[in-house]
Amino acid sequence: MREAKRKRLVSKGWKIGSAKDFLGLSPEESAFIEMKLELAESLRTHRERQNLTQVELAKLVKSSQSRVAKMEAGDPTVSMDLLVRSLLALGASKRKVVKIISPAKRSSAT
Amino acid sequence: MREAKRKRLVSKGWKIGSAKDFLGLSPEESAFIEMKLELAESLRTHRERQNLTQVELAKLVKSSQSRVAKMEAGDPTVSMDLLVRSLLALGASKRKVVKIISPAKRSSAT
DNA sequence: GGAATATATGTCAGAATGGACATAGACGCA
DNA sequence: TGCGTCTATGTCCATTCTGACATATATTCC
């Protein structure tokens, strides 16, 4: 439980995009967390853009407000599966989901 | 449990790329399954390209041969998290993982 | 044929994740 | 101030996923 807690704190303490600097994590681990954080952030963006509340999104994906909050907060108890499913439920295309976790899009190319 | 079985059969019966045609699945559901199948296929490609056996990959990702086999078989009991983690462990960059599930072209993802 | 190696499939106990609920905080508004 | 709405966080119990194991099915080599 200590480990999970740490990861959560870590992911909340650092800004998205600097996940590479997480100390003590292997490159794969950071890459994975980075992806999840990007999905999380994007989920919030998508939801807000559609003027939905967490409660409404929860209903849409047959979950609960608290879990939606945790998804958006990058809580480590949330799986990538759930994040991706939710994004798809919000109407994001597969292509879009892909873009979300794609590396820093400075310009256009991917 | 009947449902899981069906999905597994479905995903094995159809070729990758035709997931859209899965009957009875919502677009989001098919998109999600499609992604997983693409990750699965790519995992096998990556592993074989590095001349690793399932046992060796299992050791690498701290799993078991049977689970690796299930990953590559697109078994529904395998999470996207595990698939992505494994690909990353095989040295695939985040960018690469992204490409794998990207719908772009008709070539086997690498 | 038999041994060795690689992969597939089923099962199960334990771990991780899920939804639901309670509750607290934050913000706006009358 | 209190009220309504939205979000955050913690906990509980159920469901799902995981690693491990057993076992079956190739395939190759002798």
Side-chain angles (χ1 to χ4, degrees), chain B residues 38-88:
Chain B
E38 279 153 14
L39 289 169
E41 189 186 52
S42 178
L43 183 66
R44 166 160 284 155
T45 304
H46 272 74
R47 175 178 68 78
E48 288 177 342
R49 197 165 289 169
Q50 301 185 29
N51 289 310
L52 297 176
T53 66
Q54 290 184 346
V55 170
E56 291 167 325
L57 175 53
K59 197 155 292 180
L60 195 61
V61 302
K62 294 179 173 57
S63 181
S64 61
Q65 179 268 324
S66 59
R67 194 129 295 271
V68 170
K70 278 159 196 165
M71 285 193 232
E72 295 183 349
D75 190 293
T77 75
V78 173
S79 70
M80 195 157 173
D81 293 62
L82 187 59
L83 284 165
V84 170
R85 272 183 211 280
S86 301
L87 272 166
L88 291 174

Side-chain angles (χ1 to χ4, degrees), chain A residues 83-97:
Chain A
L83 283 166
V84 170
R85 271 182 211 285
S86 301
L87 271 165
L88 292 174
L90 267 182
S93 64
K94 196 170 69 156
R95 187 185 299 267
K96 221 162 193 175
V97 171

